[in-house]
Amino acid sequence: MAWRRRVMWAVFFTGLFAVLVRWHGLRFGGPHELLSSSAALEPALERKVDRLATSRNVDSPRKAIDLALELTSQCLRYGRDHRPSDQFDLGEREANDAEYSQLFSAIFNRIADGRELGARARPVRSESPRVFGLRVPHPAFSHHDWVMVQPSSGTAAESWFVDPTLHDALMGWSIEGNVTGLVPVDGPSAPGDSEYDEQDEPVYDDPEDVYDEPSARPPAEIPRAAKISSRKKN
């Protein structure tokens, strides 16, 4: 019937538009801020995380990402008509993007610690997302939180950029191609942070040289935000 064809075409074009927005139009720009992890897991949820990580033999950061995404989706559903909380248990409840990123980070880090995976998850806050260059006008989208999963000895260029909120909306979790600008690799309460070491000081051929122009001094190395590293392991 004619109305069925119209419905089918409407669904098709709606899906096509969603794909274009997700993979080609959506951008998370800087400044990007690393946040402290503040989520607290109830003992029952902790036991579930430990049991599944052991029974599924989670032995790589990539497998830990999959399990943390699965459990985060089971515990949360997206919404903003609630009072945010950093307390999480086995029951499903409403959550915003900040709570999604906090829960995912807590679950991933518990798995990584228990299975000795050598990786860490950190919540990241970016400025208002843009769709085809236009800022989302609603106040609820003044910023967006996601997660950077980083090897213990790695940089932002060697990390996975994970969005558990988009994953729960069936729109994929990897946003490496959607993030623009530099992502910091240190911040408040960053695990593995160390004090400044003189070995990190740039070495010049002649310590007595005086550089007349600032541009003559070798540039400091900064990590790139969206470059897949060969050090990533499946």
Side-chain angles (χ1 to χ4, degrees):
M1 303 175 97
W3 67 270
R4 289 183 178 176
R5 286 196 296 271
R6 286 196 291 268
V7 170
M8 292 175 61
W9 280 112
V11 171
F12 171 78
F13 283 113
T14 300
L16 180 62
F17 178 75
V19 169
L20 290 174
V21 169
R22 167 64 178 89
W23 299 109
H24 301 286
L26 182 63
R27 293 291 181 269
F28 301 110
H32 305 287
E33 176 188 2
L34 282 178
L35 304 177
S36 299
S37 298
S38 59
L41 308 183
E42 292 295 326
L45 180 54
E46 290 182 338
R47 290 192 295 270
K48 183 175 182 179
V49 172
D50 297 341
R51 174 173 53 82
L52 290 177
T54 301
S55 64
R56 298 186 185 183
N57 190 29
V58 176
D59 56 3
S60 69
R62 183 62 179 79
K63 291 181 180 180
I65 288 174
D66 289 339
L67 180 54
L69 285 170
E70 176 185 332
L71 293 174
T72 300
S73 293
Q74 289 178 4
C75 293
L76 304 178
R77 64 180 183 279
Y78 185 79
R80 291 185 174 273
D81 298 327
H82 67 285
R83 177 177 295 178
S85 171
D86 287 335
Q87 302 294 319
F88 301 95
D89 55 30
L90 289 175
E92 185 187 51
R93 70 171 176 84
E94 192 174 81
N96 57 29
D97 56 285
E99 291 165 293
Y100 270 87
S101 66
Q102 287 290 341
L103 177 57
F104 173 90
S105 298
I107 292 176
F108 179 92
N109 290 336
R110 185 171 183 85
I111 297 171
D113 290 342
R115 306 293 294 179
E116 299 181 350
L117 301 182
R120 208 72 186 167
R122 296 292 309 280
V124 181
R125 176 162 294 174
S126 300
E127 71 167 12
S128 173
R130 293 177 179 269
V131 178
F132 296 113
L134 300 177
R135 186 186 298 271
V136 180
H138 197 283
F141 297 98
S142 59
H143 56 73
H144 183 76
D145 287 11
W146 50 280
V147 180
M148 180 169 66
V149 175
Q150 181 181 351
S152 299
S153 58
T155 67
E158 300 161 345
S159 304
W160 289 268
F161 292 0
V162 183
D163 194 321
T165 309
L166 287 180
H167 171 267
D168 199 30
L170 305 178
M171 298 179 70
W173 60 265
S174 178
I175 58 170
E176 189 165 11
N178 302 95
V179 174
T180 62
L182 298 176
V183 180
V185 294
D186 58 1
S189 304
D193 279 354
S194 59
E195 297 296 327
Y196 177 81
D197 192 330
E198 290 182 357
Q199 299 181 70
D200 296 328
E201 180 73 23
V203 178
Y204 307 106
D205 292 336
D206 185 356
E208 302 301 323
D209 279 350
V210 177
Y211 294 91
D212 295 328
E213 297 294 333
S215 59
R217 202 174 278 275
E221 183 179 354
I222 53 177
R224 294 178 59 190
K227 178 181 178 182
I228 300 177
S229 168
S230 61
R231 292 180 57 186
K232 291 183 181 177
K233 296 181 181 179
N234 292 327

